[in-house]
Amino acid sequence: MIAFEARATPRAARDWLAKLREHTDKPVRYLVLSHYHAVRVLGASAFDADSIIAHENTRLLIDERGKQDWDSEFGRMPRLFREPEGIPGLTHPDITFSDRLVIPLGGERGDLVLEYCGRGHTAGDICAWLPKHKILFAGDLVEAEAALYTGDAFHFDWSTGTLDKVKEYGAEVLIGGRGATAQGRAAVDAAIEQTRGFLQGMIEKVGEVHRAGGTLKQAFEATHAHLEPKFGRWPIFEHCLPFDVQRLWDEFDGIDWPRIWTAERDQEVWDQLQD
């Protein structure tokens, strides 16, 4: 059996696995990580998988900033970490790839295709595609009726070529990182374009303020006013937007590789927005 994503803690993962065990008792052979963020991966030990698979950039990110990311996310969102004392340490993949990895599922089930679509939510996001069934697991590259966290993102790549690639699959079912499962081509395309619209709205408003020589706070206020009517009622909007705007501001400053988030840097961003 192949599992996709690991949840934030072993306790949270065991709760999910208990639901899975109502349907199958097959062991987990592969655990696939769509990308690296602490809330998505630190429950990996509960799966007892033979191997953990991720993109090579995800392994790089874990080595570069894994502990800082863990501390930052726990400080921001402790409610997402059920029984954090049960986390044995960072999650490290033992199988990585750069472009595409195909896993034959056997019988009439076809293949599972793991593929890198380009830089997006992070530098290492991958999709899991079941071509025979036209089902796509998009990770946090697509959110259906949920706001985006883009604090480690590449907004310009994500909003263009990366989402274009995701759309090219022609999926009829799309499971994103948050929100509802999109059923049918129209709903799948709408979820992709909703994600693109959030990113393009940020790029437009942050770019206007940045080019005018404004401040981070002004960029945040302009972006919030623009996005809030459509996205403000959706999960994580208010929590994530300050970090989203800071990362995009960095990109406009020419900082290509995302700076590492720490508890201290989190506070610096909040302080700038209060001035």
Side-chain angles (χ1 to χ4, degrees):
M1 184 169 58
I2 301 170
F4 192 70
E5 309 290 35
R7 310 201 76 178
T9 66
R11 170 57 191 274
R14 285 193 294 272
D15 290 346
W16 183 85
L17 285 164
K19 296 291 184 183
L20 177 66
R21 293 307 176 206
E22 295 175 6
H23 305 280
T24 179
D25 60 358
K26 292 182 179 180
V28 177
R29 183 174 183 187
Y30 298 117
L31 173 61
V32 179
L33 307 179
S34 71
H35 67 285
Y36 181 77
H37 275 137
V39 296
R40 296 294 194 203
V41 306
L42 292 178
S45 62
F47 288 80
D48 197 26
D50 292 342
S51 289
I52 298 175
I53 302 174
H55 190 265
E56 59 186 20
N57 285 345
T58 293
R59 180 164 60 185
L60 185 156
L61 289 168
I62 294 168
D63 291 341
E64 177 195 51
R65 64 185 67 200
K67 186 60 169 68
Q68 294 99 318
D69 182 83
W70 178 358
D71 292 342
S72 174
E73 288 193 47
F74 183 69
R76 293 181 195 175
M77 300 174 286
R79 64 183 177 80
L80 298 182
F81 291 82
R82 296 189 60 201
E83 297 184 9
E85 64 276 6
I87 300 171
L90 294 173
T91 298
H92 294 276
D94 58 287
I95 298 176
T96 61
F97 64 97
S98 59
D99 297 312
R100 196 168 187 261
L101 178 66
V102 179
I103 302 175
L105 299 178
E108 299 298 315
R109 293 175 295 176
D111 295 331
L112 176 67
V113 180
L114 305 178
E115 195 161 19
Y116 183 61
C117 294
R119 303 191 305 181
H121 176 68
T122 71
D125 299 85
I126 60 173
C127 289
W129 171 232
L130 292 164
K132 184 170 183 178
H133 307 285
K134 294 190 178 300
I135 299 172
L136 183 68
F137 294 84
D140 281 358
L141 286 174
V142 178
E143 311 280 20
E145 298 187 9
L148 307 182
Y149 174 64
T150 70
D152 298 301
F154 298 82
H155 294 78
F156 302 104
D157 291 4
W158 187 2
S159 62
T160 54
T162 300
L163 283 180
D164 290 345
K165 170 63 177 173
V166 173
K167 200 169 186 179
E168 286 172 6
Y169 285 108
E172 294 179 2
V173 178
L174 184 148
I175 299 94
R178 296 179 184 84
T181 297
Q183 303 270 2
R185 278 298 304 279
V188 169
D189 288 350
I192 293 168
E193 293 308 317
Q194 171 206 292
T195 301
R196 195 194 308 269
F198 190 103
L199 294 166
Q200 290 176 335
M202 287 185 60
I203 291 168
E204 175 188 346
K205 293 304 174 183
V206 174
E208 287 176 357
V209 176
H210 192 276
R211 287 188 294 272
T215 66
L216 180 69
K217 183 178 181 181
Q218 290 170 334
F220 171 78
E221 291 172 344
T223 305
H224 189 282
H226 180 70
L227 296 179
E228 195 277 335
K230 181 174 182 179
F231 300 101
R233 71 184 187 280
W234 289 347
I236 75 172
F237 176 79
E238 296 291 349
H239 177 85
C240 291
L241 195 63
F243 306 103
D244 297 353
V245 171
Q246 174 66 77
R247 167 56 189 153
L248 180 53
W249 188 269
D250 282 354
E251 285 192 280
F252 276 109
D253 275 345
I255 300 172
D256 180 67
W257 191 253
R259 290 191 285 157
I260 297 173
W261 289 103
T262 63
E264 293 76 20
R265 188 162 170 249
D266 289 355
Q267 190 60 52
E268 287 174 7
V269 171
W270 282 113
D271 289 346
Q272 287 185 67
L273 298 183
Q274 301 306 314
D275 291 340

